[in-house]
Amino acid sequence: MAAHRSSTMLAVAKDKSSAPSPSDGFSQGHHGTKRRHNKHPPSRRPKPYSIVLTALFDLFLSCLAMMFFIFGAYVSHYNNRSADGTTQSVLLSATQLGPTIFPIIYSIVVVRLIKSYYRVIASKHRQADTGILEQLLDSRTLGEAFITPLKLRALNRAALMVIFLWALSPLGGQASLRVVDTVDRPNTTDELFTYINYDTKYLMITGSDSWKDDIDVVKAIFTTSLLSSPDIRQSPYDAWDNFKVPLIERGEQPLNTSSWMSVQELGYPDDAFYSSLVGIPVGSVTDSKNPPDLYGTDTNYTLSTHTKYMNLSCGEFNLNSTIEDNGSALSDELDWTVAESSTGLLLRTDNRSRNEHDARVVYFQAQNAEKNAVSTTCNLTTTLVEVKSSSFGTAWQADSIRYSGQDSRSPLDQSKNISDSFFKDFVNATVPQQQSTASAIEWYLYDPTDAFNVSHSGHYPNYSTVGSQDFSTRLTQLINTYYLASIAPAAVSGDSNVRDWKEDYRYNYTNSTGQVTRSNTFIRCHYQWLTVMVFASAVMMFSGLACMVITILDPESSTLSREQHESDTELSDLVAQRRSSGPSGFDF
């Protein structure tokens, strides 16, 4: 019996000695579970290459934050500079990427900082406040940073710090978008312009070497002008964007050499706005190397020109003339030159030597609707004006005009050959192929809106319905149109390249200084948003550097080891206990 009892006691002692105890590394957990504790856990230091890679990654994130410093420096450097350069265009494009890139990089850095800081504290959680740890655990997004204090009912310094860190993410992104924009500012400079001088000698001298080639171009320009729509005839510029000179005599304002009048102030009664159907060509000397790019839609040009035009003042029609009269009753003392077309249009002009008071006399005769002749006598003078014109885009137009005086002499008085050739070419410029039909010139004098009409075939206009003032205006327009087309056909028809003008020795042009107002686009830096972006970038950069320092000084906290996972499990138990016994209100 004694032997049996002793053997039983030895077995029980053996069982007790083999049972687990707290000293063997196990403890009683919640719900009767057992948890192992190592008094002296083996060291699991991360490998050196893992530490180096992690530190380099944190350094790389800090360098990414420095991109926004560089971006801000460039924006400040190019403030109030033109936005036309390549660098400036890149800056404007970069602002579109900032709101996307900044929050992504910032969130990566902040999450790594929170995790690294949490792991440092978690390794010493028995001495740390579990509320702070839970605040860090549950604040890894912008939304969680605001929701966690409400959930934990604790608005402490840790919560405020996390909210502050996350609030900089959207602020930095929006600041990178709003730190720079563009503003349009006018910039006015002087520029040298060239315009055709009205005193240019008539080029189409009959029999000259260039006459056969150039006369067809002149007739084409003249015919095109007669065919133009009412909108073009009444517009301040012609079909080739040259500015027309207003016919100041038809205005309602008295002629005054001391004051400028806007075109609107002239108060024209009908479509007789301008002295010619074509305008004065203008070219730029400064930009003549690249004339197609001379005019931009964002550029305004202004120019003051001194020019002139021929003006005819005609009397009432003599409806009792005959075709055989032919102006034979006119005084022989005036040295008449006769220009006549096959349609019966006849112009007699005197070629006497004249001073500034003797106007040239022009005798007009044409066949009427009744197949008889009508005639009138006109005085041809030259009106001198100063015109302020402008161009916004490609077309020039007269804005205001000032009367500079009147001269009885005209460019046609340079020689008798010029006068003879001009009027002969003029009356034959639109001769129809069909016989017994009035020319387009004659129909325009009757009705400017119906110069070319197939129903005119075999007919002549009835001049008895045309008033002397309207007839004078229309004849003035036709004379000036043909003259401008003949002295500079290429320039009038759209060649604004001054180099071509200079190469043609026949052109007579005048240089004048005008103003060019360009709407330049400038970079504008908003320094308030620049300050916000730089501050948020600085926080992002130092947060990345802080992660790198933690990785180097405390490698064990840079990655979650098995021991840290067990510590986190115990931390969760402590947090659960704190929640069950925590305060009912906010903990400040």
Side-chain angles (χ1 to χ4, degrees):
M1 289 293 294
H4 178 71
R5 186 181 296 111
S6 61
S7 61
T8 303
M9 293 177 63
L10 288 172
V12 172
K14 185 177 181 180
D15 293 337
K16 289 182 178 182
S17 64
S18 62
S21 64
S23 62
D24 291 328
F26 291 89
S27 63
Q28 192 74 16
H30 292 288
H31 308 294
T33 60
K34 295 180 180 180
R35 183 172 295 125
R36 181 187 180 96
H37 291 277
N38 294 322
K39 283 186 176 182
H40 304 287
S43 176
R44 296 198 177 188
R45 181 180 180 85
K47 295 182 179 181
Y49 73 86
S50 177
I51 298 175
V52 172
L53 291 178
T54 303
L56 289 177
F57 180 70
D58 293 328
L59 180 62
F60 172 72
L61 293 177
S62 299
C63 292
L64 291 180
M66 294 182 64
M67 292 192 309
F68 293 92
F69 288 105
I70 299 174
F71 172 67
Y74 268 99
V75 170
S76 179
H77 175 71
Y78 285 100
N79 184 38
N80 291 326
R81 294 194 180 187
S82 175
D84 297 331
T86 303
T87 304
Q88 294 90 321
S89 300
V90 172
L91 288 179
L92 296 176
S93 300
T95 59
Q96 307 300 320
L97 302 176
T100 302
I101 296 177
F102 188 92
I104 294 176
I105 302 175
Y106 189 90
S107 61
I108 296 175
V109 173
V110 171
V111 168
R112 285 191 57 77
L113 176 64
I114 291 176
K115 291 173 66 176
S116 298
Y117 185 62
Y118 159 75
R119 290 168 184 171
V120 170
I121 297 179
S123 63
K124 305 177 181 64
H125 66 272
R126 289 184 176 84
Q127 290 79 27
D129 185 359
T130 56
I132 296 177
L133 296 173
E134 187 172 9
Q135 178 72 47
L136 296 176
L137 276 173
D138 293 344
S139 300
R140 297 188 181 183
T141 64
L142 176 62
E144 290 178 348
F146 289 94
I147 295 175
T148 299
L150 300 176
K151 182 174 63 176
L152 298 180
R153 293 178 295 177
L155 189 62
N156 47 36
R157 285 180 296 177
L160 295 176
M161 182 59 67
V162 171
I163 291 175
F164 172 75
L165 282 175
W166 277 113
L168 291 178
S169 177
L171 284 177
Q174 289 299 311
S176 64
L177 174 65
R178 304 173 189 274
V179 68
V180 61
D181 63 1
T182 59
V183 59
D184 292 332
R185 296 173 184 169
N187 182 29
T188 302
T189 58
D190 292 337
E191 186 167 324
L192 191 62
F193 290 92
T194 297
Y195 61 93
I196 295 296
N197 193 332
Y198 194 85
D199 280 330
T200 300
K201 183 181 293 186
Y202 181 67
L203 304 180
M204 307 297 128
I205 303 299
T206 305
S208 62
D209 295 336
S210 61
W211 178 80
K212 292 182 180 180
D213 295 332
D214 292 339
I215 194 65
D216 292 334
V217 178
V218 174
K219 289 182 178 180
I221 297 173
F222 184 69
T223 303
T224 302
S225 302
L226 295 182
L227 282 168
S228 59
S229 65
D231 292 338
I232 295 297
R233 284 200 311 274
Q234 298 175 22
S235 71
Y237 49 86
D238 61 20
W240 300 277
D241 296 333
N242 308 309
F243 77 90
K244 298 178 184 178
V245 179
L247 187 60
I248 198 170
E249 287 83 359
R250 285 301 303 267
E252 296 179 353
Q253 301 296 326
L255 299 182
N256 190 338
T257 59
S258 62
S259 61
W260 286 91
M261 293 180 291
S262 67
V263 175
Q264 290 75 15
E265 290 177 351
L266 293 177
Y268 291 114
D270 49 24
D271 64 348
F273 283 84
Y274 300 98
S275 60
S276 172
L277 301 180
V278 297
I280 304 294
V282 178
S284 171
V285 175
T286 305
D287 291 336
S288 61
K289 294 182 179 180
N290 193 13
D293 297 333
L294 168 61
Y295 305 112
T297 56
D298 59 345
T299 305
N300 185 31
Y301 302 84
T302 57
L303 177 66
S304 180
T305 58
H306 293 271
T307 187
K308 59 181 66 174
Y309 58 84
M310 290 180 281
N311 180 49
L312 287 96
S313 177
C314 303
E316 296 293 333
F317 277 113
N318 180 6
L319 302 178
N320 298 319
S321 299
T322 62
I323 299 176
E324 290 75 16
D325 286 343
N326 203 16
S328 57
L330 299 174
S331 175
D332 293 335
E333 298 178 358
L334 299 183
D335 188 15
W336 297 99
T337 295
V338 179
E340 187 175 7
S341 72
S342 60
T343 63
L345 175 61
L346 179 142
L347 291 178
R348 275 180 175 267
T349 60
D350 75 290
N351 291 309
R352 56 177 171 166
S353 299
R354 58 178 53 82
N355 55 38
E356 59 182 358
H357 302 293
D358 295 330
R360 176 187 288 267
V361 178
V362 177
Y363 174 80
F364 172 89
Q365 179 179 294
Q367 190 166 324
N368 202 10
E370 289 78 12
K371 299 298 178 71
N372 61 336
V374 294
S375 62
T376 184
T377 302
C378 309
N379 290 328
L380 189 152
T381 58
T382 302
T383 302
L384 287 68
V385 293
E386 186 177 359
V387 181
K388 288 183 179 179
S389 57
S390 64
S391 171
F392 194 84
T394 58
W396 286 86
Q397 66 179 40
D399 298 323
S400 57
I401 188 171
R402 181 169 63 182
Y403 178 70
S404 300
Q406 191 177 65
D407 191 349
S408 62
R409 292 164 296 189
S410 71
L412 300 178
D413 293 323
Q414 297 179 31
S415 71
K416 186 176 184 298
N417 289 338
I418 291 177
S419 176
D420 291 348
S421 296
F422 173 78
F423 284 108
K424 288 178 181 179
D425 293 339
F426 172 73
V427 297
N428 290 283
T430 60
V431 173
Q433 296 181 353
Q434 185 177 357
Q435 297 297 324
S436 302
T437 300
S439 65
I441 291 178
E442 298 167 73
W443 284 110
Y444 183 91
L445 294 173
Y446 172 72
D447 184 3
T449 64
D450 199 26
F452 290 89
N453 193 324
V454 293
S455 63
H456 293 161
S457 178
H459 297 83
Y460 289 87
N462 184 7
Y463 290 104
S464 61
T465 60
V466 181
S468 60
Q469 189 177 42
D470 290 338
F471 180 83
S472 300
T473 299
R474 295 166 190 175
L475 186 57
T476 295
Q477 290 177 331
L478 293 182
I479 292 290
N480 287 292
T481 299
Y482 195 84
Y483 185 78
L484 280 172
S486 65
I487 64 175
V492 169
S493 58
D495 183 6
S496 61
N497 193 338
V498 177
R499 290 181 300 172
D500 295 341
W501 300 4
K502 293 181 178 180
E503 291 173 1
D504 194 330
Y505 66 93
R506 301 169 300 175
Y507 280 19
N508 184 9
Y509 50 84
T510 301
N511 293 331
S512 178
T513 301
Q515 287 71 45
V516 180
T517 303
R518 292 182 172 89
S519 180
N520 294 335
T521 302
F522 291 88
I523 296 290
R524 179 172 60 182
C525 173
H526 295 277
Y527 286 97
Q528 300 89 339
W529 287 108
L530 178 62
T531 303
V532 174
M533 185 188 72
V534 170
F535 180 77
S537 301
V539 171
M540 179 167 59
M541 183 184 68
F542 286 114
S543 297
L545 294 176
C547 292
M548 183 182 68
V549 171
I550 293 174
T551 300
I552 295 173
L553 298 182
D554 193 1
E556 287 84 356
S557 65
S558 62
T559 57
L560 278 175
S561 62
R562 182 167 59 89
E563 288 77 11
Q564 289 169 337
H565 177 71
E566 293 172 353
S567 298
D568 291 343
T569 305
E570 292 185 8
L571 175 63
S572 300
D573 294 339
L574 294 175
V575 169
Q577 292 178 7
R578 184 180 184 278
R579 285 178 177 176
S580 62
S581 60
S584 58
F586 279 96
D587 181 9
F588 289 93

